[in-house]
Amino acid sequence: MSDESRPYRTAAVIPAAGRGVRLGPGAPKALRALSGTPMLIHAVRAMAASRAVSLVVVVAPPDGAPEVKNLLDAHALPERTDFLVVAGGDTRQESVRLGLEALPDNISVVLVHDAARPLVPVDTVDAVIEAVRDGAPAVVPALPLADTVKEVEPKERGEPEPVVATPERARLRAVQTPQGFDRDTLVRAHERVAVNGEGATDDAGMVEQLGVPVVVVPGHEEAFKVTRPLDLVLAEAVLARRRANDGF
């Protein structure tokens, strides 16, 4: 069977087990409504919008897999894409690892996408996949920073923090998702974390610990992370513009 005919050559794993404390009390962040539809559904549709993605694995809260499965069943999703819900762990790393373990053997490219980035355009998804297929073991979409960044000496909340350094802004990028990986590389990175107990803020950081190169492709301003109430307002505005311009 050729690579092109494999049904699950590329899969997306969406860890959705977080509570989203910064959005306030209530449902987990991924289940918060955005224009009447849970953010998780928007994120799933964003991954499935790519014709290269044949399988989307949603990693639910440890005790919430049936609820998430019912949620997916209740919303219209592309018929060409298969969907799977698995129970997650206590940490994001553990949840991604459990999502990886659920993948069929013939998956070779894996995307890891934040459920809190519901509006990533399909062109960004496709660009990440293409870069992995072209030979990059790990790929992240990212944007240049608009603000100057200062490195500081952390102090207690409210205390002035001394500036330690000012990194060169031209060399800095704000990283988004989906992050794309050669499957074997990502599995090795998670195995290393499990053995050595070394953490990272994202999966690409775990791959960096292996000494494996990570490359950047252009991100998109609409792939922002919804973490605060103000982000929800911006996301609603983006969706309203899409409906007006594209009939989204």
Side-chain angles (χ1 to χ4, degrees):
M1 182 180 293
S2 68
D3 286 347
E4 291 75 11
S5 62
R6 290 178 182 174
Y8 296 129
R9 178 161 173 74
T10 300
V13 174
I14 303 179
R19 296 296 306 179
V21 175
R22 280 174 288 180
L23 279 177
K29 177 165 51 179
L31 303 185
R32 301 295 180 91
L34 181 58
S35 287
T37 301
M39 280 201 295
L40 175 60
I41 297 300
H42 287 286
V44 169
R45 288 172 174 167
M47 296 299 97
S50 171
R51 292 188 175 275
V53 175
S54 298
L55 173 67
V56 177
V57 177
V58 178
V59 188
D63 58 351
E67 178 186 4
V68 172
K69 177 65 166 59
N70 290 337
L71 191 69
L72 294 185
D73 290 342
H75 290 81
L77 300 171
E79 292 184 359
R80 68 172 182 273
T81 307
D82 285 341
F83 302 92
L84 178 65
V85 178
V86 299
D90 294 331
T91 67
R92 183 185 186 279
Q93 289 178 1
E94 185 178 357
S95 292
V96 173
R97 178 181 59 79
L98 291 169
L100 286 173
E101 291 177 355
L103 297 178
D105 290 340
N106 55 359
I107 290 291
S108 59
V109 177
V110 180
L111 304 180
V112 180
H113 184 58
D114 292 333
R117 297 184 189 270
L119 303 179
V120 57
V122 67
D123 288 350
T124 302
V125 180
D126 287 340
V128 172
I129 296 171
E130 182 177 0
V132 178
R133 287 182 169 179
D134 285 346
V139 180
V140 296
L143 293 175
L145 297 183
D147 299 321
T148 296
V149 175
K150 300 289 185 182
E151 181 182 352
V152 302
E153 180 67 32
K155 298 293 183 181
E156 295 295 327
R157 180 173 295 184
E159 293 186 26
E161 297 178 325
V163 172
V164 175
T166 303
E168 184 181 349
R169 188 174 65 184
R171 296 176 60 88
L172 301 177
R173 298 292 183 270
V175 174
Q176 303 175 324
T177 69
Q179 299 184 354
F181 304 92
D182 168 78
R183 178 182 180 163
D184 291 341
T185 299
L186 186 57
V187 169
R188 284 197 297 120
H190 277 267
E191 289 173 347
R192 176 188 173 95
V193 168
V195 172
N196 298 334
E198 298 175 358
T201 57
D202 65 356
D203 293 274
M206 295 165 58
V207 170
E208 289 173 44
Q209 292 176 9
L210 295 176
V212 173
V214 177
V215 301
V216 170
V217 297
H220 196 281
E221 61 184 4
E222 292 182 1
F224 60 90
K225 192 172 186 178
V226 178
T227 58
R228 305 161 299 171
L230 183 61
D231 298 326
L232 280 173
V233 176
L234 179 58
E236 292 282 4
V238 170
L239 282 176
R241 180 191 57 77
R242 287 183 179 182
R243 284 194 296 268
N245 294 344
D246 309 321
F248 178 82

